[in-house]
Amino acid sequence: MKDPIPVNLAIEDALSEFVLVKVLESLGTFAIGARYSKGGFGYLKKSIRGFNNASKGTPFVVLTDLDTYPCPSALITEWLPVPQHPNLLFRIAVREVEAWVMAHRNEFAKFMRVGLSDVPSQPDLLPDPKAKLIELARQSKSRDIRDDIVPPPNSKRTVGPNYNGRLGAFVVGHWKLNEAAQCSPSLERTWKRLAAFAPSWNVEG
Protein backbone atom coordinates (compact mmCIF):
# COMPACT_ATOMS: atom_id res chain seq x y z
CA MET A 1 0.00 0.00 0.00
CA LYS A 2 1.34 3.42 -0.96
CA ASP A 3 1.97 6.06 1.66
CA PRO A 4 -0.79 8.68 1.81
CA ILE A 5 -0.14 11.93 -0.05
CA PRO A 6 0.23 14.89 2.33
CA VAL A 7 -1.93 17.87 1.39
CA ASN A 8 -2.82 21.21 2.89
CA LEU A 9 -6.28 22.66 2.31
CA ALA A 10 -7.43 26.19 1.53
CA ILE A 11 -11.17 26.73 1.58
CA GLU A 12 -13.73 29.54 1.60
CA ASP A 13 -15.79 28.49 4.59
CA ALA A 14 -16.80 25.72 6.98
CA LEU A 15 -19.19 24.01 4.57
CA SER A 16 -16.51 23.87 1.86
CA GLU A 17 -14.17 22.32 4.41
CA PHE A 18 -16.70 19.63 5.35
CA VAL A 19 -17.19 18.73 1.68
CA LEU A 20 -13.53 18.78 0.67
CA VAL A 21 -12.49 16.69 3.66
CA LYS A 22 -15.23 14.16 2.86
CA VAL A 23 -14.06 13.97 -0.78
CA LEU A 24 -10.44 13.39 0.26
CA GLU A 25 -11.42 10.83 2.90
CA SER A 26 -13.57 9.01 0.35
CA LEU A 27 -10.57 8.67 -1.94
CA GLY A 28 -8.45 7.30 0.90
CA THR A 29 -5.12 8.38 -0.58
CA PHE A 30 -4.49 11.67 1.22
CA ALA A 31 -3.23 12.76 4.62
CA ILE A 32 -4.68 16.17 5.45
CA GLY A 33 -2.34 18.66 7.09
CA ALA A 34 -2.94 22.36 7.65
CA ARG A 35 -6.26 23.99 6.78
CA TYR A 36 -6.38 27.64 5.71
CA SER A 37 -9.63 29.61 5.80
CA LYS A 38 -10.54 33.11 6.89
CA GLY A 39 -14.10 33.25 5.58
CA GLY A 40 -14.86 34.03 1.97
CA PHE A 41 -13.11 34.00 -1.37
CA GLY A 42 -11.19 37.24 -0.76
CA TYR A 43 -8.64 35.54 1.46
CA LEU A 44 -8.13 32.74 -1.07
CA LYS A 45 -7.73 35.17 -3.95
CA LYS A 46 -5.20 37.24 -2.01
CA SER A 47 -3.26 34.17 -0.86
CA ILE A 48 -3.33 31.96 -3.96
CA ARG A 49 0.16 32.90 -5.14
CA GLY A 50 1.51 31.99 -1.73
CA PHE A 51 -0.27 28.63 -1.82
CA ASN A 52 1.06 28.06 -5.33
CA ASN A 53 4.61 28.67 -4.18
CA ALA A 54 4.21 26.65 -0.98
CA SER A 55 2.91 23.66 -2.95
CA LYS A 56 6.49 22.99 -4.06
CA GLY A 57 7.01 21.60 -0.57
CA THR A 58 3.57 20.18 0.27
CA PRO A 59 0.68 19.90 -2.21
CA PHE A 60 -2.27 22.22 -1.73
CA VAL A 61 -5.93 21.63 -2.56
CA VAL A 62 -7.71 24.96 -2.98
CA LEU A 63 -11.50 24.94 -3.27
CA THR A 64 -13.53 28.01 -4.14
CA ASP A 65 -16.92 28.75 -5.69
CA LEU A 66 -17.35 29.84 -9.30
CA ASP A 67 -20.03 32.33 -8.27
CA THR A 68 -20.54 34.84 -11.10
CA TYR A 69 -17.46 34.04 -13.18
CA PRO A 70 -18.40 32.82 -16.68
CA CYS A 71 -16.26 29.67 -16.39
CA PRO A 72 -13.55 28.13 -14.16
CA SER A 73 -10.72 29.08 -16.53
CA ALA A 74 -11.71 32.76 -16.28
CA LEU A 75 -11.48 32.63 -12.49
CA ILE A 76 -8.15 30.82 -12.52
CA THR A 77 -6.67 33.25 -15.07
CA GLU A 78 -7.66 36.26 -12.95
CA TRP A 79 -6.60 34.80 -9.62
CA LEU A 80 -3.36 33.16 -10.72
CA PRO A 81 -1.73 34.96 -13.69
CA VAL A 82 1.52 33.04 -13.13
CA PRO A 83 2.38 29.40 -13.97
CA GLN A 84 0.44 27.00 -11.79
CA HIS A 85 2.63 24.51 -9.97
CA PRO A 86 1.66 20.85 -10.59
CA ASN A 87 1.16 20.36 -6.84
CA LEU A 88 -1.48 23.09 -6.62
CA LEU A 89 -4.86 21.45 -7.09
CA PHE A 90 -7.11 24.43 -7.78
CA ARG A 91 -10.70 23.17 -7.80
CA ILE A 92 -13.87 25.19 -8.41
CA ALA A 93 -17.41 24.28 -7.38
CA VAL A 94 -20.01 25.24 -9.99
CA ARG A 95 -21.49 27.56 -8.98
CA GLU A 96 -21.26 27.07 -5.24
CA VAL A 97 -20.37 24.15 -3.00
CA GLU A 98 -24.06 23.96 -2.06
CA ALA A 99 -24.62 22.45 -5.53
CA TRP A 100 -22.30 19.58 -4.58
CA VAL A 101 -24.14 19.12 -1.29
CA MET A 102 -27.53 18.88 -3.00
CA ALA A 103 -26.17 16.58 -5.71
CA HIS A 104 -26.67 13.49 -3.53
CA ARG A 105 -30.35 14.02 -4.12
CA ASN A 106 -31.94 11.03 -2.40
CA GLU A 107 -30.14 11.49 0.90
CA PHE A 108 -30.45 15.27 0.76
CA ALA A 109 -34.22 15.06 0.32
CA LYS A 110 -34.49 12.68 3.28
CA PHE A 111 -32.25 14.78 5.48
CA MET A 112 -34.05 18.02 4.64
CA ARG A 113 -37.45 16.34 4.81
CA VAL A 114 -38.57 17.59 1.40
CA GLY A 115 -39.77 15.78 -1.70
CA LEU A 116 -37.16 14.26 -3.98
CA SER A 117 -38.75 16.01 -6.95
CA ASP A 118 -38.07 19.36 -5.25
CA VAL A 119 -34.30 18.78 -5.22
CA PRO A 120 -32.68 19.93 -8.51
CA SER A 121 -31.47 17.11 -10.74
CA GLN A 122 -28.77 19.35 -12.26
CA PRO A 123 -27.57 21.57 -9.41
CA ASP A 124 -24.54 22.80 -11.39
CA LEU A 125 -26.93 24.71 -13.63
CA LEU A 126 -28.45 26.74 -10.80
CA PRO A 127 -27.44 30.43 -10.83
CA ASP A 128 -27.56 30.56 -7.01
CA PRO A 129 -27.38 27.11 -5.34
CA LYS A 130 -27.27 28.56 -1.82
CA ALA A 131 -30.54 30.43 -2.41
CA LYS A 132 -32.14 27.23 -3.70
CA LEU A 133 -30.94 25.28 -0.69
CA ILE A 134 -32.40 27.87 1.69
CA GLU A 135 -35.65 27.80 -0.29
CA LEU A 136 -35.80 24.02 0.21
CA ALA A 137 -35.14 24.45 3.91
CA ARG A 138 -38.13 26.79 4.13
CA GLN A 139 -40.25 23.96 2.72
CA SER A 140 -38.90 21.40 5.19
CA LYS A 141 -41.29 19.50 7.43
CA SER A 142 -38.69 19.79 10.17
CA ARG A 143 -38.79 22.88 12.33
CA ASP A 144 -35.18 22.25 13.39
CA ILE A 145 -34.07 22.32 9.75
CA ARG A 146 -35.94 25.57 9.14
CA ASP A 147 -34.60 27.20 12.30
CA ASP A 148 -31.00 26.19 11.61
CA ILE A 149 -30.73 26.96 7.89
CA VAL A 150 -33.22 29.73 7.08
CA PRO A 151 -32.33 33.30 8.09
CA PRO A 152 -34.60 34.59 10.88
CA PRO A 153 -37.34 37.06 9.84
CA ASN A 154 -36.16 40.67 9.65
CA SER A 155 -32.58 39.55 10.12
CA LYS A 156 -29.59 40.88 8.20
CA ARG A 157 -28.14 37.38 8.17
CA THR A 158 -28.00 35.61 4.82
CA VAL A 159 -28.21 32.15 6.38
CA GLY A 160 -29.61 30.60 9.53
CA PRO A 161 -27.71 30.44 12.83
CA ASN A 162 -26.59 26.82 12.40
CA TYR A 163 -26.32 26.69 8.62
CA ASN A 164 -22.82 25.19 8.48
CA GLY A 165 -23.37 22.90 11.45
CA ARG A 166 -26.57 21.39 10.13
CA LEU A 167 -25.30 20.94 6.57
CA GLY A 168 -21.93 19.75 7.86
CA ALA A 169 -23.73 17.00 9.78
CA PHE A 170 -25.38 15.94 6.53
CA VAL A 171 -22.08 15.85 4.65
CA VAL A 172 -20.28 13.91 7.38
CA GLY A 173 -23.06 11.43 8.09
CA HIS A 174 -24.99 10.96 4.86
CA TRP A 175 -23.34 12.49 1.77
CA LYS A 176 -21.52 10.12 -0.58
CA LEU A 177 -19.08 11.25 -3.25
CA ASN A 178 -19.92 8.58 -5.83
CA GLU A 179 -23.64 9.32 -5.60
CA ALA A 180 -23.29 13.11 -5.69
CA ALA A 181 -20.88 13.05 -8.64
CA GLN A 182 -23.60 11.51 -10.81
CA CYS A 183 -25.57 14.79 -10.66
CA SER A 184 -22.68 17.27 -10.58
CA PRO A 185 -20.17 17.33 -13.45
CA SER A 186 -17.95 19.83 -11.62
CA LEU A 187 -17.76 17.51 -8.61
CA GLU A 188 -17.01 14.56 -10.88
CA ARG A 189 -14.14 16.49 -12.49
CA THR A 190 -12.70 17.28 -9.06
CA TRP A 191 -13.03 13.63 -8.01
CA LYS A 192 -11.19 12.41 -11.11
CA ARG A 193 -8.47 15.06 -10.82
CA LEU A 194 -7.78 14.23 -7.18
CA ALA A 195 -7.92 10.49 -7.81
CA ALA A 196 -5.29 10.79 -10.55
CA PHE A 197 -3.01 13.15 -8.64
CA ALA A 198 0.63 12.24 -8.12
CA PRO A 199 2.85 14.87 -6.46
CA SER A 200 5.84 16.33 -8.27
CA TRP A 201 8.44 16.85 -5.60
CA ASN A 202 11.22 18.04 -7.88
CA VAL A 203 9.33 20.27 -10.30
CA GLU A 204 10.20 23.94 -10.21
CA GLY A 205 7.46 26.42 -11.13
Side-chain angles (χ1 to χ4, degrees):
M1 182 177 178
K2 293 182 179 179
D3 291 335
I5 301 169
V7 291
N8 295 326
L9 311 184
I11 52 273
E12 281 198 26
D13 51 34
L15 183 57
S16 296
E17 183 176 349
F18 280 120
V19 172
L20 184 54
V21 168
K22 187 64 177 284
V23 169
L24 295 171
E25 289 179 345
S26 299
L27 290 169
T29 54
F30 294 91
I32 299 171
R35 307 179 189 192
Y36 298 88
S37 178
K38 291 189 177 179
F41 71 90
Y43 168 71
L44 296 183
K45 184 176 181 180
K46 180 178 66 175
S47 305
I48 190 68
R49 291 196 189 198
F51 298 145
N52 189 50
N53 188 59
S55 68
K56 297 173 184 177
T58 300
F60 267 75
V61 184
V62 178
L63 177 61
T64 192
D65 293 338
L66 181 62
D67 290 325
T68 58
Y69 282 88
C71 63
S73 60
L75 186 152
I76 293 171
T77 298
E78 179 179 321
W79 284 31
L80 191 63
V82 297
Q84 181 174 335
H85 193 277
N87 288 345
L88 180 73
L89 297 162
F90 194 173
R91 307 311 307 169
I92 299 170
V94 179
R95 287 198 170 265
E96 294 170 319
V97 76
E98 281 81 359
W100 290 6
V101 173
M102 290 186 286
H104 190 176
R105 297 179 64 242
N106 290 334
E107 288 301 319
F108 187 75
K110 292 176 187 176
F111 185 82
M112 294 288 283
R113 298 190 64 186
V114 297
L116 177 59
S117 61
D118 295 323
V119 181
S121 59
Q122 295 179 292
D124 283 11
L125 300 182
L126 295 171
D128 191 342
K130 179 181 285 187
K132 180 61 179 179
L133 190 154
I134 292 172
E135 176 188 324
L136 291 173
R138 284 196 177 94
Q139 301 171 15
S140 175
K141 297 176 183 177
S142 166
R143 180 175 178 177
D144 288 342
I145 291 284
R146 298 194 302 271
D147 288 347
D148 281 351
I149 296 178
V150 179
N154 303 317
S155 170
K156 294 182 179 179
R157 298 177 63 105
T158 58
V159 298
N162 194 30
Y163 182 87
N164 288 320
R166 178 66 66 170
L167 293 174
F170 167 70
V171 172
V172 171
H174 304 274
W175 188 86
K176 290 183 172 57
L177 171 61
N178 60 329
E179 296 287 340
Q182 295 180 30
C183 291
S184 172
S186 74
L187 174 59
E188 183 181 31
R189 288 192 295 270
T190 288
W191 177 12
K192 290 181 177 179
R193 178 68 182 88
L194 292 171
F197 176 66
S200 301
W201 301 118
N202 298 312
V203 174
E204 293 297 328

